[in-house]
Amino acid sequence: MSDNPLAELARCLPDLRLLTEPGDLEHYGRDWTRRWTPAPLAIALPASVDEVLAVVRWANRRQVAIVPSGGRTGLSGGAVAARGELVLALERMNRVLDFDAVDRTLTVQAGITLQAVHEAARGHGLAYPVDFAARGSCSIGGNIATNAGGIRVIRYGNTREWVAALKVVAGNGELLELNRALIKNSSGYDLRQLMIGSEGTLGIVVEATLKLADPPRPSQVMLLALPDMDALMQVFALFRARLALQAFEFFTDRALQNVLAHGAQRPFDGDHPYYVVTEFDAVDEPARDAALAAFGHALEQGWVSDGVIAQSEAQAAALWRLREGITESLAPRRPYKNDVSVRVSLVPAFLHEMQALLAREYPHAEVVWFGHIGDGNLHINVLRPDELSEEAFIAQCEHVTRLLAETLQRHGGSISAEHGIGLVKRSYLDSTRSAAEIALMRGVRRVFDPNGILNPGKLFVRD
Ligand code: FAD
Ligand code: MLT
Ligand code: ZN
């Protein structure tokens, strides 16, 4: 056995692309959190399942930790390599492998982008309905590993609903074919579902068979301005009862100000504290009339203070940009992010407590919140005040996150709605999961990955 594990890997797999240049280590060692200093051992870019298998078997032999890596758009540090790990990036495995018109499934390699999946589905007259702003760079493997949500969960659910089968290289170096795209399969534990949301700690997703949906029905996009927070769930209840919603997304005026400063166009004159972007089926005149009537009713009730309906695709895109551009507009300031959820029925009570907590604990920081309110999911972004050092800022945010976690616990919520736990939230996993659950999760991890080589340090505080 060679003393140098990397030299051995290169010798065993002469065709495997391996990168060790400082610029590459830096590029592949971080995700969108940009909180940790990248320090991977090297980057492996496999081109086949066989290469992934060989790398995982080598890593087991040589006790080298692997960080599975997709588009690195993750917001919780799951794809960060800061401790000498080998980054296994799937970007070269990015092909569509098969389309089945009868099953209405698309089989893809894990490194394909979400947008390429959308385009492939559209090319077959169907749709892959999971969608969000990182679509151009996030990968299906990463979406599956985080059980990504996005802007259409209210209609279609999370990634979990759309995975018919998976091919996975488990941490122990075995190739698993999970569920074989069966609709009905009551034959024991559903290991496919266990993989979804496992954040690269059980196996490396190498292929996925995705379910496809009917193409979306003709729709309209509306932007609403709201006078106060109580109106939010009133408008939601009204619109959900009267319209076939595809999306119901909310953001605050602070969020809007940041997007406008980033180049978006102001939707109305005047300022309002809260906004909603909603999209709903508008197949015919009666459906469009129903939307106008719902808007009129909300206006009469004082739940809405202004609104606009997009009259063209370009206008619809401009309205969506106000919501979808928020993350990018904040990114240069590296916000501290919380991504929390409660049951939809508990949103009003939770919002009040949360708002009071944030106002009390962050008297000097700019706090920007927005989210998938129709799913009970809120994103809280805290921006570091100039006078605070990075270290002091993170310490303050961690303190507030602990308080937030307690509030969530009282409301039966979750500390991670859709971004995953990764490095950012591992200290708070115990606020959402019981000690018994965490012990079982760690046990499951040991079964799939007995040597603990896959993404150690992520999800759990201790491996
Ligand atoms: P990465 O960041 O590369 O990895 C994420 C995790 O998955 C890591 O733990 C990694 O180890 C693991 N992983 C990656 N590939 C594999 C694989 N093949 N097998 C096993 N494990 C793997 N998320 C949402 O849920 N909803 C949103 O609305 C949303 N909007 C976003 C908007 C923007 C602008 C940005 C930057 C991010 C957004 N995200 C959102 C977060 C992020 O895009 C998702 O978490 C996405 O699923 C990550 O995919 P990725 O390929 O970039 O994964
Ligand atoms: C979003 O909903 O825009 C994403 O989850 C990204 C974020 O929270 O910043
Ligand atoms: Zn989100």
Side-chain angles (χ1 to χ4, degrees):
M1 198 190 273
S2 152
D3 282 344
N4 180 338
L6 209 53
E8 189 202 19
L9 180 64
R11 217 176 29 256
C12 298
L13 290 172
D15 293 333
L16 176 67
R17 196 174 292 171
L18 273 176
L19 310 176
T20 52
E21 291 295 320
D24 293 321
L25 301 183
E26 167 104 20
H27 174 73
Y28 286 93
R30 59 161 49 123
D31 65 4
W32 268 57
T33 52
R34 293 197 293 129
R35 195 196 298 174
W36 289 270
T37 307
L41 170 71
I43 318 302
L45 297 163
S48 68
V49 174
D50 283 346
E51 282 190 347
V52 176
L53 270 168
V55 171
V56 171
R57 288 173 185 166
W58 160 85
N60 271 283
R61 271 199 318 279
R62 301 302 307 248
Q63 277 298 297
V64 174
I66 290 181
V67 175
S69 185
R72 291 169 302 286
T73 64
L75 299 168
S76 55
V80 167
R83 297 194 308 177
E85 304 95 330
L86 180 83
V87 174
L88 195 140
L90 287 132
E91 67 191 36
R92 291 176 72 210
M93 295 176 62
N94 61 2
R95 282 183 300 120
V96 173
L97 299 174
D98 190 30
F99 166 70
D100 192 307
V102 177
D103 292 330
R104 304 218 313 175
T105 54
L106 192 73
T107 300
V108 297
Q109 292 182 306
I112 192 169
T113 63
L114 176 58
Q115 186 164 308
V117 168
H118 288 160
E119 284 161 11
R122 214 175 294 128
H124 293 293
L126 294 168
Y128 180 69
V130 176
D131 193 18
F132 49 92
R135 60 183 76 80
S137 36
C138 68
S139 70
I140 280 293
N143 296 173
I144 291 168
T146 55
N147 185 26
I151 55 176
R152 302 200 187 262
V153 170
I154 196 170
R155 168 71 67 92
Y156 297 104
N158 298 298
T159 298
R160 187 179 292 294
E161 312 291 332
W162 297 95
V163 177
L166 286 179
K167 199 180 267 188
V168 173
V169 175
N172 64 5
E174 281 185 36
L175 184 63
L176 304 174
E177 299 207 23
L178 305 178
N179 197 54
R180 303 191 310 278
L182 295 168
I183 292 172
K184 304 191 78 170
N185 184 8
S186 286
S187 61
Y189 307 142
D190 190 338
L191 302 181
R192 157 196 56 161
Q193 289 295 347
L194 192 54
M195 284 294 159
I196 302 170
S198 63
E199 300 189 39
T201 63
L202 301 180
I204 298 172
V205 176
V206 286
E207 287 176 20
T209 299
L210 305 169
K211 302 176 197 173
L212 300 182
D214 287 329
R217 310 182 86 187
S219 61
Q220 277 188 321
V221 177
M222 195 187 272
L223 177 73
L224 304 169
L226 278 57
D228 55 52
M229 213 165 53
D230 289 338
L232 192 57
M233 296 316 274
Q234 282 159 320
V235 176
F236 175 60
L238 173 73
F239 274 48
R240 190 161 62 166
R242 294 206 189 170
L243 309 177
L245 293 180
Q246 293 188 18
F248 193 90
E249 298 276 314
F250 132 93
F251 51 96
T252 58
D253 185 53
R254 270 183 200 273
L256 178 68
Q257 296 310 326
N258 278 285
V259 182
L260 294 179
H262 211 70
Q265 282 193 337
R266 174 173 281 285
F268 325 106
D269 293 335
D271 293 328
H272 306 268
Y274 303 102
Y275 298 90
V276 163
V277 169
T278 177
E279 185 162 345
F280 43 83
D281 291 357
V283 278
D284 50 21
E285 211 51 47
R288 287 190 285 276
D289 289 347
L292 282 178
F295 174 70
H297 183 70
L299 212 52
E300 270 166 31
Q301 296 296 317
W303 300 335
V304 155
S305 36
D306 207 345
V308 51
I309 297 189
Q311 301 299 330
S312 65
E313 276 189 27
Q315 268 184 23
L319 294 185
W320 264 117
R321 184 176 171 197
L322 300 174
R323 163 63 184 89
E324 288 210 293
I326 299 171
T327 304
E328 209 172 329
S329 74
L330 302 177
R333 295 165 74 188
R334 289 194 293 130
Y336 182 97
K337 282 176 180 281
N338 295 120
D339 159 40
V340 302
S341 65
V342 294
R343 276 162 43 203
V344 178
S345 58
L346 298 184
V347 166
F350 173 71
L351 272 180
H352 278 287
E353 262 193 65
M354 186 203 83
Q355 206 184 26
L357 174 76
L358 298 180
R360 189 182 71 229
E361 297 293 331
Y362 291 123
H364 305 300
E366 182 177 348
V367 183
V368 180
W369 35 294
F370 59 95
H372 318 284
I373 200 72
D375 314 322
N377 177 187
L378 269 165
H379 297 310
I380 303 159
N381 288 248
V382 190
L383 301 168
R384 181 169 66 83
D386 289 340
E387 66 275 13
L388 268 193
S389 70
E390 172 86 14
E391 214 182 6
F393 173 63
I394 298 286
Q396 183 191 21
C397 294
E398 303 258 290
H399 166 71
V400 181
T401 299
R402 183 49 71 192
L403 300 176
L404 185 64
E406 286 165 19
T407 311
L408 282 161
Q409 236 170 354
R410 282 198 301 281
H411 290 84
S414 173
I415 194 70
S416 177
E418 59 171 10
H419 296 161
I421 295 289
L423 287 173
V424 172
K425 292 170 247 169
R426 59 186 187 157
S427 307
Y428 313 100
L429 182 65
D430 63 357
S431 67
T432 297
R433 299 303 196 100
S434 68
E437 276 182 291
I438 293 173
L440 284 170
M441 282 163 67
R442 289 160 57 95
V444 168
R445 170 153 161 76
R446 280 194 292 277
V447 171
F448 280 88
D449 183 15
N451 294 320
I453 59 148
L454 287 186
N455 238 355
K458 314 289 171 55
L459 187 52
F460 307 107
V461 175
R462 282 177 300 109
D463 284 310

